[in-house]
Amino acid sequence: MKEVSDKDWKQVNDNLNKWRKNRKSPPNLDLYKKIVSMVHVGKTVLDVGCGQQYLFNCLPDINLYRGFDPFPLSDNVAPISAEQLNDLNDSFDTVFMFAALDNVKNIELSLRGLKHVAKENIVILTCIGVPKDKYHTHTIEREDLVSVFGEPFQEVEMLPKVWFLEWRL
C-alpha cells in the first residue's frame, strides 16, 4: 500500500497550494472540457481534490455539484480527503478526480473512497509513471488503478504521461 506520512503529505500540499496561488493562468480548461465531452456525466457530481473548482465551469447542466478538498481554497468546498470518502453515506452519479490522485496520502484507500461514493462512473485525470517530487506524494502506476477498479471503460493519454481514465460501474 502506497502511503506517506502526515508531515510529508502536508508539505507537498503546502507546496502545491503556494504554486496554485501564484500561477498566472488556470489549468488547461480545454483539456477538462474535452474530457467532460468524452464521458458520461450524471445529474449529481462530486469533484474530489477540486482545488479552485475549475471543473464546475466545464460541466453540462447537472442537478448537484459538490467539491471536496482536504485543503480547501474557498468556503464552499468541504474539507474532505479522498480517503475520508469511505466514511460517507452520500453517493454521486459521477465522481471526478482531476490532477489530484498523485497528491493523496494513501492511494488505495483514496481509490476505494472514490468507488464507495460513485453510483454510475468514476473519471480520473492523472500522471502515470511521473516520479514523486515536491508537488506529488506518489508515483501513480496504472496497476494502482486497475487493482481497485478493474480495467477502465476508456483510457486516453491526453498529454505525455497524463492520462484520462473512466470506469463505468
Side-chain angles (χ1 to χ4, degrees), residues 75-105:
D75 292 339
N76 59 340
V77 174
I80 297 173
S81 70
E83 294 90 348
Q84 292 171 313
L85 296 175
N86 291 291
D87 300 326
L88 293 183
N89 292 325
D90 294 340
S91 61
F92 301 83
D93 296 336
T94 301
V95 175
F96 286 95
M97 187 177 221
F98 279 11
L101 183 59
D102 49 12
N103 300 108
V104 300
K105 185 175 175 193

Side-chain angles (χ1 to χ4, degrees), residues 1-152:
M1 182 180 312
K2 295 181 180 179
E3 184 173 10
V4 297
S5 69
D6 284 338
K7 179 183 174 191
D8 289 346
W9 181 58
K10 288 176 183 172
Q11 182 59 56
V12 166
N13 281 285
D14 285 348
N15 292 340
L16 189 59
N17 282 334
K18 286 176 192 169
W19 175 81
R20 281 178 179 160
K21 289 176 184 175
N22 292 324
R23 73 177 161 200
K24 303 285 187 257
S25 62
N28 187 338
L29 295 183
D30 290 337
L31 179 64
Y32 284 21
K33 289 174 186 174
K34 183 174 183 177
I35 293 169
V36 167
S37 75
M38 296 168 66
V39 301
H40 166 74
V41 179
K43 290 294 183 185
T44 61
V45 169
L46 175 61
D47 185 2
V48 180
C50 65
Q52 293 161 309
Q53 299 179 297
Y54 291 117
L55 176 63
F56 176 76
N57 296 316
C58 302
L59 296 171
D61 290 336
I62 55 174
N63 290 335
L64 174 72
Y65 168 90
R66 293 285 314 268
F68 290 175
D69 197 305
F71 303 98
L73 298 174
S74 68
D75 292 339
N76 59 340
V77 174
I80 297 173
S81 70
E83 294 90 348
Q84 292 171 313
L85 296 175
N86 291 291
D87 300 326
L88 293 183
N89 292 325
D90 294 340
S91 61
F92 301 83
D93 296 336
T94 301
V95 175
F96 286 95
M97 187 177 221
F98 279 11
L101 183 59
D102 49 12
N103 300 108
V104 300
K105 185 175 175 193
N106 181 306
I107 294 175
E108 183 180 351
L109 195 57
S110 296
L111 294 174
R112 292 198 183 287
L114 300 178
K115 191 174 184 179
H116 177 73
V117 297
K119 290 194 288 190
E120 297 175 9
N121 63 325
I122 298 167
V123 182
I124 294 177
L125 176 68
T126 192
C127 295
I128 293 185
V130 173
K132 68 184 225 173
D133 59 21
K134 70 179 190 173
Y135 298 115
H136 303 91
T137 55
H138 300 282
T139 299
I140 303 298
E141 301 296 346
R142 186 180 185 278
E143 295 76 31
D144 297 324
L145 303 163
V146 172
S147 69
V148 174
F149 300 137
E151 289 295 323

Side-chain angles (χ1 to χ4, degrees), residues 31 34-35 38 125 156-164:
L31 179 64
K34 183 174 183 177
I35 293 169
M38 296 168 66
L125 176 68
V156 178
E157 188 173 21
M158 304 302 287
L159 298 167
K161 296 190 176 188
V162 177
W163 289 81
F164 134 69

